[in-house]
C-alpha cells in the first residue's frame, strides 16, 4: 500500500515566518509607493490599501510611519549589499580595477531606483529625530564597509595621508551623479543602470583619477622626489 504525502505536508510556516513575510511584503509595497508616487502619499492608510490589508494590521507590524521608514531604509541598504559584489581583485592592474569598481558601483547602487527612494526618505524625514538617528547609524555602517572594501581593492591608497578625503570625494562624485536622476526626463529609452554619454564620460574621468592616484602612490618616495 502506497502512502502519498500531500505537497503541503511539513511546509506550514510558523507564526514568526508568516510575520516576517508580511513585514517584507509591507516594506516592498512601501518602496513601490514611494518610487512610483511620492513619499507624501506613503501613509499607513495608503500602505494598507496598496498591500491589501487593514490599517490596524499594518500598525501591528509598524506602529508609525517613522518606524516604517526606518525599516524601509534598512531594507534599502541591505538590498544594496545583497545586489552583488563590486570590489575588484587587488591583483588586477590599477586602471582595470578602477574601471570595474566605478561601473559596478554605479549600476548596482547609484543608478538603482532604490537610491532615489532612499534620498526621498532622507529629505522627507528631516524633522523626525528618530528617523534621522537611524539614518546616521546606517550611514556609519555603510561608510565602514565602503572604507574596508575600497582600500582592500586599492591597497596602494591605504597609506595615503589623504585617504579619507580621497574616498569621500569618490563617493560624493557618484552620489551627486546618482542624484541628477531626479531631474532626468521620463520615460528613458535605456534602463537607468546603463549610463548615458554624459554619465559615462564622468564615470570614466572618475575611474581615470582613481587609477592615476594608485599609480602615483605605487611610485617609491625617492622616485617621487626626483620627479619633482
Amino acid at each position: 500500500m502506497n502512502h502519498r504525502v500531500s505537497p503541503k505536508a511539513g511546509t506550514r510556516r510558523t507564526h514568526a515566518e508568516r510575520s516576517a513575510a508580511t513585514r517584507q511584503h509591507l516594506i516592498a509595497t512601501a518602496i513601490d509607493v514611494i518610487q512610483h508616487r511620492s513619499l507624501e502619499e506613503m501613509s499607513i492608510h495608503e500602505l494598507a490599501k496598496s498591500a491589501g490589508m487593514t490599517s490596524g494590521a499594518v500598525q501591528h507590524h509598524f506602529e508609525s510611519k517613522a518606524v516604517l521608514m526606518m525599516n524601509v531604509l534598512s531594507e534599502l541598504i541591505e538590498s544594496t549589499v545583497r545586489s552583488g559584489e563590486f570590489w575588484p581583485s587587488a591583483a588586477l592592474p590599477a586602471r582595470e580595477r578602477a574601471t570595474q569598481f566605478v561601473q559596478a558601483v554605479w549600476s548596482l547602487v547609484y543608478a538603482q531606483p532604490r537610491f532615489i527612494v532612499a534620498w526621498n526618505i532622507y529629505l522627507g524625514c528631516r524633522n523626525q529625530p528618530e528617523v534621522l538617528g537611524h539614518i546616521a547609524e546606517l550611514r556609519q555602517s555603510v561608510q565602514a564597509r565602503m572604507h574596508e572594501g575600497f582600500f582592500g581593492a586599492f591597497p596602494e591608497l591605504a597609506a595615503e595621508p589623504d585617504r579619507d578625503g580621497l574616498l569621500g570625494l569618490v563617493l560624493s562624485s557618484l552620489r551627486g551623479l546618482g542624484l541628477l536622476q531626479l531631474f532626468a526626463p521620463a520615460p528613458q529609452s535605456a534602463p537607468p543602470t546603463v549610463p548615458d554619454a554624459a554619465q559615462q564620460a564622468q564615470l570614466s574621468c572618475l575611474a581615470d583619477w582613481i587609477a592615476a592616484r594608485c599609480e602615483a602612490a605605487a611610485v617609491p618616495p625617492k622616485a617621487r622626489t626626483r620627479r619633482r
Side-chain angles (χ1 to χ4, degrees):
M1 182 178 179
N2 294 326
H3 296 277
R4 292 195 304 169
V5 178
S6 170
K8 295 184 179 179
T11 61
R12 187 172 182 178
R13 295 184 298 177
T14 66
H15 174 74
E17 289 171 335
R18 292 195 302 273
S19 180
T22 300
R23 288 172 64 87
Q24 285 302 114
H25 171 60
L26 289 171
I27 289 171
T29 303
I31 292 172
D32 186 71
V33 170
I34 297 169
Q35 181 181 335
H36 293 101
R37 282 180 270 174
S38 69
L39 178 65
E40 288 71 25
E41 291 188 49
M42 224 321 298
S43 63
I44 293 293
H45 173 74
E46 184 57 40
L47 175 59
K49 179 181 175 182
S50 299
M53 298 171 63
T54 66
S55 296
V58 171
Q59 289 181 306
H60 173 72
H61 295 279
F62 305 107
E63 60 265 32
S64 67
K65 182 176 178 179
V67 172
L68 171 64
M69 289 300 97
M70 288 191 290
N71 280 271
V72 168
L73 278 170
S74 295
E75 174 59 27
L76 289 168
I77 296 297
E78 288 306 313
S79 65
T80 296
V81 174
R82 293 194 303 265
S83 64
E85 182 63 48
F86 44 71
W87 302 118
S89 169
L92 295 173
R95 291 194 175 272
E96 186 175 347
R97 265 181 288 152
T99 298
Q100 283 189 16
F101 163 71
V102 169
Q103 295 293 338
V105 173
W106 169 257
S107 64
L108 294 173
V109 180
Y110 295 99
Q112 291 289 335
R114 61 176 173 264
F115 175 73
I116 298 301
V117 172
W119 271 93
N120 277 324
I121 296 174
Y122 295 156
L123 297 174
C125 297
R126 287 173 295 174
N127 62 342
Q128 299 182 50
E130 186 180 10
V131 180
L132 291 180
H134 185 67
I135 290 173
E137 291 178 3
L138 285 174
R139 284 177 57 85
Q140 189 173 24
S141 174
V142 170
Q143 186 69 18
R145 279 187 274 184
M146 293 298 291
H147 191 279
E148 180 183 1
F150 185 82
F151 292 112
F154 302 99
E156 306 97 321
L157 303 176
E160 292 293 280
D162 63 344
R163 68 177 194 165
D164 291 335
L166 188 155
L167 176 58
L169 183 58
V170 168
L171 297 181
S172 293
S173 299
L174 289 164
R175 191 181 304 120
L177 192 56
L179 284 171
L180 286 176
Q181 294 172 102
L182 285 168
F183 310 101
Q188 296 179 337
S189 58
T193 54
V194 178
D196 60 27
Q199 290 169 336
Q200 186 57 59
Q202 293 179 71
L203 293 172
S204 296
C205 285
L206 182 60
D208 287 343
W209 180 72
I210 294 171
R213 285 297 306 258
C214 287
E215 291 165 354
V219 176
K222 290 184 179 180
R224 295 188 206 178
T225 302
R226 286 197 298 271
R227 285 185 181 182
R228 292 174 187 167

